[in-house]
């Protein structure tokens, strides 16, 4: 499903971008059972970046009797090759009802029995002990005596339900991610040319981590982190999956060396799956970067369901961006500034139409002129007050590029602030990433106008050819966008 940018000149489609977006619009062959079955082991598919930044890998084992044992392996570096410390987490998880807030998710309650830590160097031991001694209460002030020598393989208790001791807060540790759960299944085509058929892939989505360190201990997630892969039914190839599966607190996983790619944005980039954001937002993204003049275009397709099959509204934005510079805060990241100078909105359902037509005159496009399926330029009104969009607007971003195991280019864009604000100053620049976009068109390929395959023939507010609406479902409309401008 592609948004309209209609004009008189012929349409020139980039087939791979269109195909990927179509695949996502059709639900991408994904099934999700409520409540999900968690039994078995689930592992990271690579090095993960959490706000801070923190670099880690995860390995979670759920038993049929509701008990679980989880490993979190932390590292000094963004390649997850230099381990710092490992956490061993034991507890019990009880699945509850389907979430009333995040459609497609199951709410859960968890109880921690024990959390232990193993240090992998004297430096790690010294730093963590200092954090705990400085920020914890009386029960943790003597967690490790000053000058204590690092003992390889020694396990130190951070939390015990029996003794009511909890020294985890200094690490920003919480397992609130377990309070929101979703398991997705799909079939991955076999990669070998001589093979036909597909293999089952299962992915576990757990709740997101708040982007502000101080909010982590209290935040109850409404979005997801990057998914964990089933140790049995995971995507192929996945070299990291087997390494993490075999690891334990005494033998943290050391991931294979991966080449650092320079950020070269030119071309088209599209979501790999339906994305879920905090505050109940389902969307797919499509970016076009023009490297010759450092301009960009972005399409944000919003939906009312977790499979992105029921469209609600589309945002088109464009502007220019600065030359990138290596991040001093997030190793492996590149800092850029993006200026948003133009934006257009296409409401797809009557709820959005009604809201826009009720906005203050002159604050969001032509007054009382919105209708379903018709795109309207909001640049003349300096944005749209009802949607929280202000133009022009600058955002301070964090990017990185990688290649997946099939040599496809992936683009990671900075994670949006959990509170819905905008990274509109350098000190609010992200320190972690959203789900990756995959390159669907190279720099040399032509881009012109993009229009929905299922919308045509209707006039927009300015008399241009625009879109006919599709039947759409209800969305609890919120003024939180992936590209949020205050």
């Amino acid at each position: 499903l592609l948004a309209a940018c209609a004009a008189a000149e012929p349409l020139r489609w980039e087939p791979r971008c269109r195909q990927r977006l179509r695949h996502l619009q059709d639900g991408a062959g994904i099934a999700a059972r409520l409540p999900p079955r968690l039994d078995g082991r689930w592992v990271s598919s690579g090095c993960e970046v959490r706000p801070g930044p923190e670099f880690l890998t995860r390995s979670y084992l759920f038993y049929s009797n509701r008990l679980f044992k989880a490993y979190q392996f932390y590292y000094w570096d963004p390649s997850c090759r230099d381990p710092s410390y490992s956490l061993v987490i034991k507890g019990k998880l009880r699945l509850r009802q389907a979430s009333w807030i995040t459609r497609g998710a199951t709410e859960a309650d968890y109880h921690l029995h024990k959390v232990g830590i193993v240090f992998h160097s004297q430096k790690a031991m010294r730093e963590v002990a200092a954090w705990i001694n400085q920020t914890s209460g009386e029960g943790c002030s003597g967690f490790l005596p000053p000058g204590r020598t690092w003992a390889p393989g020694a396990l130190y208790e951070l939390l015990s339900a029996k003794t009511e001791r909890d020294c985890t807060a200094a690490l920003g540790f919480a397992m609130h991610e377990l309070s929101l759960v979703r398991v997705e299944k799909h079939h991955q085509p076999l990669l070998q040319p001589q093979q036909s058929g597909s293999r089952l892939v299962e992915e576990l989505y757990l709740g997101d981590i708040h982007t502000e360190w101080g909010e982590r201990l209290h935040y109850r997630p409404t979005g997801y982190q990057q998914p964990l892969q089933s140790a049995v039914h995971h995507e192929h190839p996945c070299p990291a999956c087997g390494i993490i599966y075999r690891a334990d607190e005494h033998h943290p996983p050391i991931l294979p060396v991966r080449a650092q790619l320079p950020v070269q944005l030119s071309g088209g980039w599209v979501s790999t799956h339906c994305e879920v954001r905090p505050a109940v937002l389902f969307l797919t993204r499509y970016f076009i970067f023009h490297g010759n003049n450092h301009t960009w275009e972005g399409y944000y397709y919003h939906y009312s369901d977790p499979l992105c099959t029921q469209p609600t509204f589309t945002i088109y934005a464009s502007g220019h961006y600065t030359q990138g510079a290596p991040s001093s805060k997030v190793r492996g990241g590149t800092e850029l500034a993006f200026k948003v100078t133009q934006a257009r909105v296409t409401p797809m359902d009557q709820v959005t139409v009604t809201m826009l037509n009720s906005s203050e005159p002159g604050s969001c496009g032509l007054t009382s002129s919105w209708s379903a399926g018709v795109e309207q330029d909001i640049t003349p009104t300096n944005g749209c007050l009802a949607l929280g969009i202000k133009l022009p607007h600058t955002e301070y971003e964090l990017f990185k590029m990688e290649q997946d195991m099939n040599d496809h280019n992936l683009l990671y864009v900075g994670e949006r602030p959990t509170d819905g604000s905008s990274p509109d100053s350098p000190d609010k620049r992200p320190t972690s990433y959203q789900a990756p976009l995959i390159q669907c068109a190279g720099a040399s390929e032509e881009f012109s106008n993009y229009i929905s395959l299922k919308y045509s023939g209707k006039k927009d507010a300015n008399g241009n050819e625009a879109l006919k609406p599709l039947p759409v479902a209800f969305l609890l409309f919120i003024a939180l966008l992936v590209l949020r401008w205050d």
Side-chain angles (χ1 to χ4, degrees), residues 34-62:
L34 289 175
R37 292 191 60 178
L38 300 184
D39 298 3
R41 187 175 293 278
W42 305 82
V43 296
S44 301
S45 57
C47 194
E48 300 178 2
V49 184
R50 284 185 174 179
E54 288 181 330
F55 309 112
L56 78 157
T57 57
R58 295 177 290 160
S59 176
Y60 292 1
L61 176 61
F62 296 94

Side-chain angles (χ1 to χ4, degrees), residues 101-102 219 222-223 277-281 418 476 478 480:
I101 299 174
T102 306
Y219 173 66
T222 55
R277 295 287 185 276
V280 202
L281 191 65
T418 305
L476 176 60
I478 53 174
L480 173 67

Side-chain angles (χ1 to χ4, degrees), residues 13-88:
W13 286 83
E14 208 304 311
R16 284 171 294 169
C17 298
R18 175 179 64 176
Q19 182 181 8
R20 286 188 177 276
L21 286 170
R22 235 184 195 170
H23 179 60
L24 296 178
Q25 176 196 348
D26 293 337
I30 291 172
R33 174 180 170 179
L34 289 175
R37 292 191 60 178
L38 300 184
D39 298 3
R41 187 175 293 278
W42 305 82
V43 296
S44 301
S45 57
C47 194
E48 300 178 2
V49 184
R50 284 185 174 179
E54 288 181 330
F55 309 112
L56 78 157
T57 57
R58 295 177 290 160
S59 176
Y60 292 1
L61 176 61
F62 296 94
Y63 299 96
S64 57
N65 60 359
R66 299 182 181 177
L67 295 176
F68 70 86
K69 181 179 182 180
Y71 294 116
Q72 292 183 353
F73 307 102
Y74 290 83
Y75 303 80
W76 299 108
D77 67 303
S79 299
C80 290
R81 293 186 53 78
D82 185 8
S84 171
Y85 61 87
S86 299
L87 297 182
V88 190

Side-chain angles (χ1 to χ4, degrees), residues 275-298:
E275 300 172 13
V276 183
R277 295 287 185 276
V280 202
L281 191 65
F282 308 106
L283 76 155
T284 58
R285 297 172 291 154
Y286 178 30
F287 288 135
I288 305 164
F289 298 100
H290 306 280
N292 57 338
N293 59 7
H294 280 205
T295 60
W296 69 277
E297 302 170 74

